[in-house]
Amino acid sequence: DAGVIQSPRHEVTEMGQEVTLRCKPISGHDYLFWYRQTMMRGLELLIYFNNNVPIDDSGMPEDRFSAKMPNASFSTLKIQPSEPRDSAVYFCASSPQLGQGGYTFGSGTRLTVV
Amino acid sequence: GIQVEQSPPDLILQEGANSTLRCNFSDSVNNLQWFHQNPWGQLINLFYIPSGTKQNGRLSATTVATERYSLLYISSSQTTDSGVYFCAVESYDYKLSFGAGTTVTVRA
């Protein structure tokens, strides 16, 4: 398996633009997670899905952020409009189940909003 | 939410040295995991260890759930061990909370 695949690896955009981050989880993993990593706040859970359904989005910072999972092999995290404070590394992870470890993280997308 | 504290924040080792990293957490947890973030940013799952002791090569981990701490041991450190080690606890609502990490630098 190729692991969790994220794209793009790097994204530089201007303030106010829409940004879409993409993730392909490991086949057969029923859970998908979006995390954000910053120097100030460390690694934070934004949202997670179970079988394509959003279960907990309490970590999404504000309405400018949205996430979708239209099918078992694809998820997007969208920021519209983007702001400089959104600059961070965004990680996607997948897991076959909860409570048993088994998390696999993607390589992350480094987002810079100028 | 659950507070996760890792110590020390930074650790510099000479190649071949042994070290211990500590993770304290503020409440009962469903499970605990250790991750290594390499210098390229990739997060690798090292251990799933809600309790007891596990070993994987030169790395081993011990969790004492009743006392709310976990330890990660690195023996005979190598330069490839450099990076940030994160402890992450899973609460009973299945959310992972990460500590701030321990940055390990192994010098040749």
Side-chain angles (χ1 to χ4, degrees):
Chain A
D1 200 318
V4 176
I5 299 173
Q6 291 188 246
S7 64
R9 287 299 307 275
H10 302 274
E11 176 81 37
V12 180
T13 189
E14 291 186 347
M15 183 174 61
Q17 297 298 306
E18 177 179 293
V19 176
T20 300
L21 311 181
R22 297 172 176 80
C23 175
K24 176 180 169 56
I26 291 175
S27 177
H29 281 195
D30 291 338
Y31 292 87
L32 182 140
F33 308 83
W34 282 100
Y35 284 86
R36 178 172 67 175
Q37 185 176 32
T38 61
M39 289 295 292
M40 290 295 293
R41 299 175 67 89
L43 277 154
E44 305 173 278
L45 175 65
L46 300 178
I47 185 171
Y48 80 92
F49 295 82
N50 176 24
N51 291 324
N52 314 337
V53 176
I55 302 301
D56 190 327
D57 65 354
S58 59
M60 296 285 263
E62 49 196 274
D63 292 346
R64 297 185 296 107
F65 286 68
S66 62
K68 295 181 180 180
M69 192 165 185
N71 58 61
S73 59
F74 184 66
S75 177
T76 60
L77 178 67
K78 186 175 293 187
I79 308 172
Q80 165 64 19
S82 58
E83 297 182 2
R85 60 192 168 125
D86 301 330
S87 297
V89 180
Y90 291 82
F91 287 99
C92 176
S94 69
S95 177
Q97 55 194 341
L98 293 179
Q100 300 295 321
Y103 281 71
T104 301
F105 278 78
S107 298
T109 295
R110 182 174 295 278
L111 173 65
T112 303
V113 183
V114 298
Chain B
I2 297 177
Q3 303 302 309
V4 183
E5 294 183 358
Q6 292 187 242
S7 60
D10 299 281
L11 192 58
I12 298 175
L13 302 170
Q14 201 62 35
E15 200 169 29
N18 303 327
S19 65
T20 301
L21 283 58
R22 187 177 179 99
C23 171
N24 293 332
F25 44 98
S26 61
D27 205 347
S28 299
V29 298
N30 195 32
N31 79 64
L32 184 144
Q33 301 181 56
W34 283 96
F35 292 87
H36 176 225
Q37 188 168 37
N38 65 26
W40 296 270
Q42 180 70 44
L43 277 159
I44 306 297
N45 198 327
L46 297 175
F47 291 102
Y48 159 69
I49 184 164
S51 63
T53 297
K54 289 187 177 180
Q55 180 148 11
N56 184 359
R58 295 179 296 99
L59 300 180
S60 63
T62 295
T63 297
V64 183
T66 53
E67 297 187 22
R68 300 179 186 168
Y69 74 88
S70 182
L71 302 174
L72 179 69
Y73 305 96
I74 305 174
S75 64
S76 303
S77 57
Q78 300 178 359
T79 56
T80 52
D81 295 330
S82 295
V84 184
Y85 290 81
F86 289 102
C87 169
V89 300
E90 186 174 299
S91 53
Y92 289 100
D93 62 359
Y94 300 112
K95 293 182 183 179
L96 266 188
S97 297
F98 284 78
T102 293
T103 301
V104 173
T105 303
V106 181
R107 293 180 173 166

